[in-house]
Amino acid sequence: MIPSALSRPAVAADLPFLSAEPLDLVGLLAKSHHPEAGAVVLFSGEVRDNDPQTDVDYLEYEAQEAMASKLIRQILDDACEKFPLKIALAQHRVGKVGISESAVVVITASPHRAEAYSANRYIIDRIKHEAPIWKCEYFKNGTKEWGGNCNCQKITGDANKHVYEWTEDKK
Amino acid sequence: MIPSALSRPAVAADLPFLSAEPLDLVGLLAKSHHPEAGAVVLFSGEVRDNDPQTDVDYLEYEAQEAMASKLIRQILDDACEKFPLKIALAQHRVGKVGISESAVVVITASPHRAEAYSANRYIIDRIKHEAPIWKCEYFKNGTKEWGGNCNCQKITGDANKHVYEWTEDKK
Amino acid sequence: MTIQVFAVLKDYFDKEFEIAGDLKNIAALKQELAVQNPQAANVLDLCRFAVHDEFVDPDYPITTNDTICIIPPSSGG
Amino acid sequence: MTIQVFAVLKDYFDKEFEIAGDLKNIAALKQELAVQNPQAANVLDLCRFAVHDEFVDPDYPITTNDTICIIPPSSGG
C-alpha cells in the first residue's frame, strides 16, 4: 500500500478517520514508508493514569462523527498543502479507551525531517483543538469529568481562533 | 518490557544502540507505552532514492562502534535530563541498508506532547551531527559517495560546535 | 425541530430531543434552551451550532424540519 | 603506533596501518600523515582524533603503543 505516482500524497483515503476498535499503530507504521520520504514521524496520544486529583480508570471518546471525519480529512489536506508530505494519515479512537491505549495516531512522511515533525504537530494540534471529539474521564472512585482541552476561546475570545503549539516551529 | 517504578526513565538499557540487522520499528513501538506517558513520538530516518543527480542503489553505514554507542547513550541521558521523558530509545543501523529501510529510529514518550516532539528532535539532531557514524551512498551507475551531513564546522569554525534544528523549538 | 447534543451537554439535556415553538434562528434557539435549563446557559455560550453537519452563525434561519447539532469546545486527543 | 581510519579517509589510507617515527603528539601525527598523502590534507583538517575511544586535543602526547582513531565529521542518520 505504498502510495506511488500521486501528484498529491496519499491521505490514507481507505483509512477511516475514526475507529471504535483499538488503533493499529504498528500496522499503520509498517505501511508508512515511501521511497522519496527520508523521514517518518509517528505521534500517538495515549491515555495516562496520573491525573493529579484522582486515578483515571478509563476514558471514553465521543464524536460528531460526520463532522469530525470531514474535518480530519480537511486538516490532512491542509497539511499536504503547507508541507511537502509523501504520507499523511490520522485516526482518532471513539468509545471506551483504557490506560496506555492510543486515543489518536498521526503519521507524516516527507523528504526531510524538519517538515515531518512540523506537519505532524500541525495535524495533531488542529485535531485536538478543532475536531468535534470529546473526552470523558472516568475515575476509579466512580466519578466522571468531561475534558476541556481546548480553552482557546478563553484566550482569543473567538471559538474559531485557536492557539497552536506548532506555530512555534515556523519562525 | 514497560519500564516502571524507575526514578530515571528507561534508556532501553537492553537495546543495542547499533544494529547490523534491520531495525524492528514496530517491535520497538509496541514496547514504547507507559502509563504516565500521554504522548509517544517515533522518528524513523529512511533511505530515499531521489538523489537529484543519480539514483541511489543502497547505502552503507559505518561506525566507530564503541564511540558511537557511548555517545548515543550519553545523548539519551542528556535528553532525559532536559525533558521529562518516561521512555527514550535510539538505534542506528550499520552496514548495507536498502531504499525505504530505516537507518535510524528514535522513540520518546512523555506526559505531554510538546516535550515528546522536542526531545525526539534533540536526540536525532545530536545523533546525526555528533555520532561517529558515516553514510556512503552507492549509486546505480556504480559510483559511490561518502555523505557529508554535518558541515557545521564550516559555519561555526569548530568541529565541536553544531547548528541544531531542535533549538528552534526552545523559544 | 430536532436537537442533538454532545459531551457535557448531555448532563443538561437528552442526547436527542424535539423542540417546538416559533424559533426563527439559531440565536433564538439558544436563548430558548437557556430559558428551559438556566444551568446550561454558561456551557451553551461556549458552544457552536451546526445544521446539516456545517457550522452556522447565530442569525442562520431554522425551520421545523431541521436537525441542529450543538457542538461544545473540542477535547479530543 | 596503530592508526585506524574511517569512511572517506579509507579512500586515502588503509583502514588500519602502523606508523613509525618520532611523533610526539596528535598534531605531529596529523602533519606526518598529510606529508605522506598530500591529497588527504584537506580531509584531515576536518577530522578529530581519538585515543582509547576518547577525543583528544592536538597537543595530546602519543606513544608507540597507542591506537589512534581518525574521525571524520559525522554523516549518520
Side-chain angles (χ1 to χ4, degrees):
Chain A
M1 211 208 70
I2 290 176
S4 60
L6 293 170
S7 59
R8 288 283 298 279
V11 187
D14 55 347
L15 184 75
F17 300 114
L18 300 173
S19 169
E21 299 299 315
L23 303 183
D24 179 18
L25 266 58
V26 300
L28 294 173
L29 178 62
K31 286 186 272 188
S32 295
H33 305 285
H34 187 288
E36 290 172 34
V40 178
V41 173
L42 174 147
F43 170 82
S44 169
E46 311 198 341
V47 176
R48 289 184 296 146
D49 75 346
N50 62 342
D51 185 273
Q53 301 294 335
T54 15
D55 285 342
V56 173
D57 189 11
Y58 65 92
L59 266 62
E60 204 165 309
Y61 287 93
E62 179 182 351
Q64 207 285 18
E65 301 209 2
M67 293 177 75
S69 291
K70 196 165 66 171
L71 185 68
I72 292 173
R73 174 182 292 279
Q74 183 63 51
I75 291 168
L76 293 173
D77 282 343
D78 291 349
C80 292
E81 291 279 337
K82 295 176 91 72
F83 303 97
L85 299 178
K86 298 298 176 186
I87 293 171
L89 66 85
Q91 197 175 42
H92 202 296
R93 188 84 177 272
V94 289
K96 188 172 167 175
V97 184
I99 299 293
S100 286
E101 283 189 66
S102 182
V104 57
V105 60
V106 177
I107 301 181
T108 48
S110 57
H112 300 287
R113 68 186 182 280
E115 308 94 66
Y117 281 108
S118 295
N120 203 285
R121 284 190 74 166
Y122 171 86
I123 293 165
I124 190 59
D125 282 356
R126 282 196 61 192
I127 289 174
K128 290 207 181 205
H129 285 270
E130 296 179 36
I133 301 174
W134 304 277
K135 172 169 69 179
C136 192
E137 294 179 301
Y138 288 83
F139 300 101
K140 285 172 183 154
N141 66 9
T143 61
K144 71 167 207 244
E145 186 178 321
W146 285 98
N149 269 2
C150 177
N151 294 311
C152 291
Q153 62 192 339
K154 286 188 188 160
I155 298 165
T156 65
D158 181 340
N160 291 301
K161 282 224 176 73
H162 299 274
V163 181
Y164 293 107
E165 294 178 31
W166 67 272
T167 54
E168 293 169 17
D169 290 339
K170 306 198 75 210
K171 282 166 206 150
Chain B
M1 210 208 70
I2 289 175
S4 60
L6 292 171
S7 59
R8 288 283 297 280
V11 186
D14 55 347
L15 184 75
F17 300 115
L18 300 174
S19 169
E21 300 299 313
L23 304 183
D24 180 20
L25 265 58
V26 300
L28 294 173
L29 178 62
K31 287 185 272 187
S32 296
H33 305 285
H34 187 288
E36 290 172 33
V40 178
V41 172
L42 175 147
F43 171 82
S44 168
E46 311 198 341
V47 176
R48 289 184 296 146
D49 76 346
N50 62 343
D51 184 272
Q53 302 293 337
T54 15
D55 284 343
V56 173
D57 188 10
Y58 66 93
L59 265 62
E60 205 165 308
Y61 286 92
E62 180 182 350
Q64 207 285 17
E65 300 209 2
M67 294 176 73
S69 290
K70 197 165 64 170
L71 185 68
I72 292 173
R73 174 182 289 279
Q74 183 62 52
I75 291 168
L76 293 173
D77 282 342
D78 291 349
C80 292
E81 290 280 336
K82 295 175 91 73
F83 303 97
L85 299 179
K86 298 298 176 187
I87 293 170
L89 66 87
Q91 196 175 43
H92 202 296
R93 188 86 176 270
V94 288
K96 188 171 167 175
V97 184
I99 299 292
S100 286
E101 283 190 66
S102 181
V104 57
V105 60
V106 176
I107 302 181
T108 48
S110 58
H112 300 287
R113 68 186 183 279
E115 307 94 64
Y117 281 109
S118 295
N120 202 284
R121 284 191 73 167
Y122 170 86
I123 293 165
I124 189 60
D125 282 356
R126 283 196 61 192
I127 289 175
K128 291 207 182 205
H129 285 270
E130 296 178 36
I133 301 173
W134 304 279
K135 173 169 68 179
C136 191
E137 295 180 300
Y138 288 83
F139 300 101
K140 286 175 183 152
N141 66 9
T143 61
K144 71 164 207 246
E145 185 177 322
W146 284 98
N149 269 3
C150 177
N151 294 311
C152 292
Q153 61 190 340
K154 286 188 187 158
I155 298 165
T156 65
D158 181 341
N160 291 301
K161 284 224 175 73
H162 300 273
V163 181
Y164 293 106
E165 293 177 33
W166 66 271
T167 54
E168 292 169 20
D169 290 339
K170 306 198 72 210
K171 282 165 208 152
Chain C
M1 57 202 72
T2 304
I3 312 298
Q4 291 178 347
V5 305
F6 297 88
V8 68
L9 285 171
K10 294 188 297 182
D11 292 351
Y12 302 95
F13 300 99
D14 289 337
K15 180 162 177 49
E16 181 168 326
F17 59 96
E18 297 292 321
I19 194 165
D22 184 24
L23 301 168
K24 71 175 198 293
N25 60 22
I26 291 290
L29 169 63
K30 182 171 155 184
Q31 191 175 5
E32 171 63 21
L33 292 171
V35 167
Q36 287 189 8
N37 193 333
Q39 290 187 301
N42 285 340
V43 176
L44 285 169
D45 268 344
L46 294 172
C47 294
R48 295 196 283 166
F49 291 72
V51 180
H52 303 309
D53 296 336
E54 297 282 350
F55 287 117
V56 294
D57 289 329
D59 60 359
Y60 184 89
I62 49 180
T63 68
T64 49
N65 290 327
D66 283 335
T67 295
I68 296 146
C69 290
I70 311 184
I71 307 289
S74 301
S75 66
Chain D
M1 58 204 71
T2 305
I3 311 299
Q4 290 177 347
V5 305
F6 297 87
V8 68
L9 285 171
K10 294 188 296 182
D11 291 351
Y12 302 97
F13 300 98
D14 288 339
K15 180 162 176 47
E16 181 168 327
F17 60 96
E18 296 292 323
I19 193 164
D22 182 24
L23 302 168
K24 70 176 198 295
N25 60 22
I26 292 290
L29 169 64
K30 181 170 153 182
Q31 191 175 4
E32 171 64 21
L33 292 172
V35 167
Q36 285 190 10
N37 193 334
Q39 289 187 303
N42 285 341
V43 176
L44 286 168
D45 269 345
L46 295 171
C47 293
R48 292 197 284 166
F49 290 72
V51 181
H52 303 309
D53 296 337
E54 297 282 351
F55 286 118
V56 294
D57 288 329
D59 60 0
Y60 185 88
I62 49 179
T63 68
T64 49
N65 289 326
D66 283 336
T67 295
I68 296 147
C69 290
I70 312 184
I71 307 290
S74 302
S75 65

